[in-house]
CSV table of all heavy atoms in Angstrom, one decimal:
chain,number,residue,atom,x,y,z
A,101,GLY,N,-76.2,-8.1,-35.9
A,101,GLY,CA,-75.9,-6.7,-35.4
A,101,GLY,C,-76.7,-5.8,-36.4
A,101,GLY,O,-77.5,-6.2,-37.2
A,102,HIS,N,-76.5,-4.5,-36.3
A,102,HIS,CA,-77.1,-3.6,-37.1
A,102,HIS,C,-76.7,-4.0,-38.6
A,102,HIS,O,-75.5,-4.2,-38.9
A,102,HIS,CB,-76.6,-2.2,-36.8
A,102,HIS,CG,-77.4,-1.1,-37.6
A,102,HIS,ND1,-76.9,-0.8,-38.9
A,102,HIS,CD2,-78.3,-0.3,-37.4
A,102,HIS,CE1,-77.7,0.2,-39.3
A,102,HIS,NE2,-78.6,0.5,-38.4
A,103,SER,N,-77.6,-3.9,-39.5
A,103,SER,CA,-77.3,-4.6,-40.8
A,103,SER,C,-76.1,-3.8,-41.6
A,103,SER,O,-75.6,-4.4,-42.5
A,103,SER,CB,-78.6,-4.4,-41.8
A,103,SER,OG,-79.0,-3.0,-41.9
A,104,SER,N,-75.8,-2.6,-41.2
A,104,SER,CA,-74.8,-1.9,-41.9
A,104,SER,C,-73.5,-1.9,-41.1
A,104,SER,O,-72.5,-1.3,-41.6
A,104,SER,CB,-75.2,-0.4,-42.2
A,104,SER,OG,-75.6,0.2,-41.0
A,105,HIS,N,-73.4,-2.5,-39.9
A,105,HIS,CA,-72.2,-2.6,-39.3
A,105,HIS,C,-71.3,-3.6,-40.0
A,105,HIS,O,-71.8,-4.6,-40.4
A,105,HIS,CB,-72.4,-2.9,-37.8
A,105,HIS,CG,-72.6,-1.8,-36.9
A,105,HIS,ND1,-73.7,-1.2,-37.0
A,105,HIS,CD2,-71.8,-1.3,-35.9
A,105,HIS,CE1,-73.6,-0.1,-36.0
A,105,HIS,NE2,-72.5,-0.2,-35.4
A,106,ALA,N,-70.0,-3.3,-40.0
A,106,ALA,CA,-69.1,-4.3,-40.7
A,106,ALA,C,-67.9,-4.3,-39.8
A,106,ALA,O,-67.5,-3.5,-39.1
A,106,ALA,CB,-68.7,-3.8,-42.1
A,107,ILE,N,-67.2,-5.6,-39.9
A,107,ILE,CA,-65.9,-5.6,-39.1
A,107,ILE,C,-64.8,-5.5,-40.2
A,107,ILE,O,-64.9,-6.2,-41.2
A,107,ILE,CB,-65.7,-6.9,-38.4
A,107,ILE,CG1,-64.5,-7.0,-37.7
A,107,ILE,CG2,-66.1,-8.1,-39.3
A,107,ILE,CD1,-64.5,-8.1,-36.6
A,108,PHE,N,-63.8,-4.8,-40.0
A,108,PHE,CA,-62.7,-4.8,-40.8
A,108,PHE,C,-61.4,-5.3,-40.2
A,108,PHE,O,-61.0,-4.8,-39.2
A,108,PHE,CB,-62.3,-3.3,-41.2
A,108,PHE,CG,-63.5,-2.6,-42.0
A,108,PHE,CD1,-64.5,-2.0,-41.4
A,108,PHE,CD2,-63.4,-2.7,-43.4
A,108,PHE,CE1,-65.5,-1.4,-42.0
A,108,PHE,CE2,-64.3,-2.1,-44.2
A,108,PHE,CZ,-65.5,-1.5,-43.5
A,109,GLY,N,-61.0,-6.5,-40.7
A,109,GLY,CA,-59.7,-7.1,-40.2
A,109,GLY,C,-58.6,-6.4,-41.0
A,109,GLY,O,-58.6,-6.4,-42.2
A,110,LEU,N,-57.7,-5.7,-40.3
A,110,LEU,CA,-56.7,-4.9,-40.9
A,110,LEU,C,-55.3,-5.5,-40.6
A,110,LEU,O,-54.8,-5.3,-39.5
A,110,LEU,CB,-56.9,-3.5,-40.2
A,110,LEU,CG,-55.8,-2.4,-40.6
A,110,LEU,CD1,-56.1,-2.0,-42.0
A,110,LEU,CD2,-55.9,-1.2,-39.8
A,111,GLY,N,-54.8,-6.2,-41.6
A,111,GLY,CA,-53.5,-6.7,-41.4
A,111,GLY,C,-52.4,-5.9,-42.1
A,111,GLY,O,-52.4,-5.9,-43.3
A,112,VAL,N,-51.7,-5.2,-41.3
A,112,VAL,CA,-50.6,-4.4,-41.9
A,112,VAL,C,-49.5,-5.4,-42.2
A,112,VAL,O,-48.9,-6.0,-41.3
A,112,VAL,CB,-50.1,-3.3,-41.0
A,112,VAL,CG1,-49.0,-2.5,-41.5
A,112,VAL,CG2,-51.3,-2.4,-40.6
A,113,THR,N,-49.2,-5.6,-43.5
A,113,THR,CA,-48.4,-6.6,-44.0
A,113,THR,C,-46.9,-6.2,-44.5
A,113,THR,O,-46.0,-7.1,-44.3
A,113,THR,CB,-49.1,-7.4,-45.1
A,113,THR,OG1,-49.3,-6.5,-46.2
A,113,THR,CG2,-50.3,-8.1,-44.7
A,114,ARG,N,-46.8,-5.1,-45.0
A,114,ARG,CA,-45.5,-4.8,-45.6
A,114,ARG,C,-45.4,-3.3,-45.8
A,114,ARG,O,-46.5,-2.6,-45.8
A,114,ARG,CB,-45.2,-5.5,-46.8
A,114,ARG,CG,-46.2,-5.2,-48.0
A,114,ARG,CD,-45.9,-6.1,-49.2
A,114,ARG,NE,-46.8,-5.8,-50.3
A,114,ARG,CZ,-48.0,-6.3,-50.4
A,114,ARG,NH1,-48.5,-7.1,-49.5
A,114,ARG,NH2,-48.8,-5.9,-51.4
A,115,PRO,N,-44.3,-2.8,-46.1
A,115,PRO,CA,-44.2,-1.4,-46.4
A,115,PRO,C,-45.1,-1.1,-47.6
A,115,PRO,O,-45.3,-2.0,-48.5
A,115,PRO,CB,-42.7,-1.2,-46.7
A,115,PRO,CG,-41.9,-2.3,-46.0
A,115,PRO,CD,-42.9,-3.4,-46.0
A,116,ALA,N,-45.5,0.2,-47.7
A,116,ALA,CA,-46.4,0.6,-48.8
A,116,ALA,C,-45.6,0.5,-50.0
A,116,ALA,O,-44.4,0.4,-50.1
A,116,ALA,CB,-46.9,2.0,-48.5
A,117,ARG,N,-46.4,0.8,-51.1
A,117,ARG,CA,-45.8,0.8,-52.4
A,117,ARG,C,-44.7,1.7,-52.6
A,117,ARG,O,-44.5,2.5,-51.6
A,117,ARG,CB,-47.0,1.2,-53.5
A,117,ARG,CG,-47.4,2.6,-53.1
A,117,ARG,CD,-48.5,2.9,-54.0
A,117,ARG,NE,-49.3,4.0,-53.7
A,117,ARG,CZ,-48.8,5.2,-53.2
A,117,ARG,NH1,-47.6,5.4,-52.9
A,117,ARG,NH2,-49.6,6.3,-53.0
A,118,ASP,N,-43.9,1.8,-53.6
A,118,ASP,CA,-42.8,2.6,-53.9
A,118,ASP,C,-43.2,4.0,-53.8
A,118,ASP,O,-43.9,4.5,-54.7
A,118,ASP,CB,-42.2,2.3,-55.2
A,118,ASP,CG,-41.0,3.1,-55.6
A,118,ASP,OD1,-40.6,4.0,-54.7
A,118,ASP,OD2,-40.4,2.9,-56.6
A,119,VAL,N,-42.9,4.8,-52.7
A,119,VAL,CA,-43.3,6.1,-52.5
A,119,VAL,C,-42.7,7.0,-53.5
A,119,VAL,O,-43.3,8.0,-53.9
A,119,VAL,CB,-43.1,6.6,-51.0
A,119,VAL,CG1,-43.5,8.0,-50.9
A,119,VAL,CG2,-43.9,5.7,-50.0
A,120,ALA,N,-41.4,6.7,-53.8
A,120,ALA,CA,-40.7,7.6,-54.8
A,120,ALA,C,-41.5,7.6,-56.2
A,120,ALA,O,-41.7,8.7,-56.8
A,120,ALA,CB,-39.4,7.1,-55.0
Side-chain angles (χ1 to χ4, degrees):
H102 185 280
S103 62
S104 58
H105 273 69
I107 179 169
F108 293 88
L110 177 67
V112 177
T113 58
R114 62 185 183 275
R117 62 186 171 32
D118 181 357
V119 176

